[in-house]
Amino acid sequence: GVARDAAILSVDIRGFTPLTRSMTPGQLVRFITEYQARMVPAVVRHGGAIDKFLGDGLLVTFGALRKSATCAADALRAIDDLMLAAEAWNRERAARGEAPVRIGAGAASGSVVCGVIGEAGRLEYTVLGDAVNVSAKLESHTKTEAVRALVSAALYETALAQGYEPKDGQIRLSGRTVGGIEGPMDIVVMAK
């Protein structure tokens, strides 16, 4: 394993299970393919690497595979693009008479360990560490805050120092209780 400072992004579709209950297997595969075809380029364009596809979820790293002096800023730029891609996809879906899809995203940064884990019959390169956990908890916390994207305030401040230009509507929330995280934390709403 190798320790690196990185930004971690977790992305998920809201209400995925109820949305897909009436889909045939072919419709479900087409749906996920459409989703990934829009989300993956939005993160790769900013240097993100897909660590895992988790059904309707994505685990994305910035600066984990290769050191990056702009990993935090890149993660926030990717979130901005993800939200735009989701909006464009929803316009396409509406034109076809399909229900909108809501995407949730959470991101955090910190030291992670990158390496190959598993056993001889099934090995996988992945990242481990608090930032991975916090990004997943923030993605889930978007439901509580009724927003589309949240990031840790620490990631946000680092991104600003790395040249990220804030967008309108980003709001800092202080002292929030996030499920699964010990103690209150400061977070930033990236997209309502």
Side-chain angles (χ1 to χ4, degrees):
V2 175
R4 291 228 168 92
D5 286 331
I8 308 297
L9 170 63
S10 296
V11 184
D12 198 47
I13 295 176
R14 296 284 161 260
F16 177 71
T17 301
L19 179 67
T20 61
R21 278 192 185 121
S22 61
M23 291 183 186
T24 66
Q27 289 170 326
L28 176 56
V29 170
R30 278 190 298 281
F31 175 80
I32 289 294
T33 300
E34 273 191 21
Y35 163 66
Q36 292 173 346
R38 284 149 180 84
M39 299 301 112
V40 171
V43 296
V44 171
R45 194 168 24 253
H46 298 286
I50 305 295
D51 183 82
K52 283 182 191 45
F53 291 109
L54 305 160
D56 62 311
L58 304 173
L59 179 63
V60 183
T61 65
F62 297 83
L65 293 176
R66 288 181 309 280
K67 285 185 182 181
S68 170
T70 60
C71 62
D74 294 338
L76 296 195
R77 290 181 191 112
I79 290 172
D80 292 339
D81 266 6
L82 282 170
M83 296 302 128
L84 292 173
E87 291 165 8
W89 187 29
N90 278 329
R91 286 191 298 274
E92 292 171 25
R93 290 179 58 78
R96 296 188 305 242
E98 297 170 344
V101 175
R102 189 160 170 87
I103 307 296
S109 60
S111 180
V112 297
V113 173
C114 313
V116 177
I117 63 168
E119 61 89 29
R122 169 104 163 83
L123 297 173
E124 179 177 294
Y125 187 86
T126 194
V127 291
L128 305 165
D130 195 47
V132 178
N133 181 52
V134 173
S135 75
K137 300 300 184 191
L138 288 173
E139 180 274 316
S140 183
H141 191 69
T142 60
K143 299 171 202 171
T144 303
E145 298 288 349
V147 298
R148 295 183 296 155
L150 290 171
V151 301
S152 69
L155 169 63
Y156 189 80
E157 294 302 324
T158 301
L160 292 176
Q162 292 176 355
Y164 174 74
E165 295 181 15
K167 307 291 181 249
D168 290 336
Q170 295 175 347
I171 305 164
R172 185 181 181 108
L173 304 173
S174 298
R176 290 305 221 242
T177 299
V178 176
I181 304 292
E182 189 175 318
M185 72 180 293
D186 296 347
I187 57 179
V188 176
V189 175
M190 293 294 294
K192 293 180 186 176

